[in-house]
Amino acid sequence: MTLPTKAAAVAAAAAALAGPATAGPAAPAPTLDYAFTATVLVAPALEQGAVDGGRKRFIAITGGQVSGPLLTGEVLAGGGDWQVIEAGGLTRVEAHYFLKTGDGTVIEVTNPGVRVADPAVIEKLARGEEVDPSAYYFRTTPSFKVADGRHEWLRRSAFVARGVRKPDRVLIDVYVVR
């Protein structure tokens, strides 16, 4: 086999393995099912100041409730939300806390995400002022660690959430990605 013929054969084999070229997704788009809302009570922010190019803050979690069709219980005090407010209206968030269900199951939550808005809106949120949720984008991707049993479905699914910041609490609507 000559070099051009060999190259053509390799290209043909690669194309056959790749399958037909498509302009769309390989599978149907996932859907979202509402799972629950966590109402997370928070303390005033502890400001660390400018560190590594962003304004760092810590917000302690003081308790709260969880209610919805797939999960109910309480938010345990003692967790927190670590934030970095960057120039241009981007806030990176990472919350870490625990839930306790009505049956006594303790669930660890790690919830990273972003909040994006005009810098003036970000400053209002940082001061704890009431802001219309349509004025900012606040999305997270929570993950859960839980023992085997009734709530292990939380480990076996992917989730997205939308946050709404209030002066003394954060409402987190959690959706299962199907």
Side-chain angles (χ1 to χ4, degrees):
M1 193 179 296
T2 66
L3 189 55
T5 307
K6 191 174 195 179
V10 169
L17 289 174
T22 61
T31 60
L32 301 178
D33 289 335
Y34 171 67
F36 62 89
T37 296
T39 301
V40 180
L41 304 177
V42 295
L46 174 64
E47 295 280 346
Q48 187 178 2
V51 178
D52 296 333
R55 177 177 160 197
K56 292 189 80 166
R57 304 162 32 112
F58 173 77
I59 296 121
I61 292 173
T62 61
Q65 296 296 315
V66 175
S67 61
L70 300 181
L71 192 67
T72 60
E74 64 181 308
V75 177
L76 299 178
D81 182 14
W82 287 259
Q83 297 183 353
V84 179
I85 300 173
E86 298 179 358
L90 170 65
T91 302
R92 290 181 287 121
V93 300
E94 177 141 357
H96 198 156
Y97 54 100
F98 290 90
L99 308 176
K100 186 174 184 180
T101 66
D103 66 7
T105 302
V106 175
I107 302 165
E108 181 181 354
V109 181
T110 302
N111 196 9
V114 296
R115 191 170 59 210
V116 181
D118 179 81
V121 171
I122 293 293
E123 282 308 309
K124 285 182 178 182
L125 290 166
R127 288 192 301 267
E129 296 178 22
E130 186 80 30
V131 176
D132 184 327
S134 67
Y136 56 90
Y137 176 93
F138 184 4
R139 304 293 189 272
T140 65
T141 55
S143 63
F144 304 92
K145 292 182 182 172
V146 61
D148 290 343
R150 180 176 176 196
H151 303 291
E152 69 181 277
W153 65 273
L154 290 161
R155 284 195 331 257
R156 298 174 176 272
S157 299
F159 298 86
V160 294
R162 178 177 183 171
V164 175
R165 181 64 159 100
K166 298 289 186 179
D168 64 345
R169 66 196 180 283
V170 179
L171 308 173
I172 304 166
D173 296 330
V174 178
Y175 297 84
V176 181
V177 180
R178 302 286 189 194

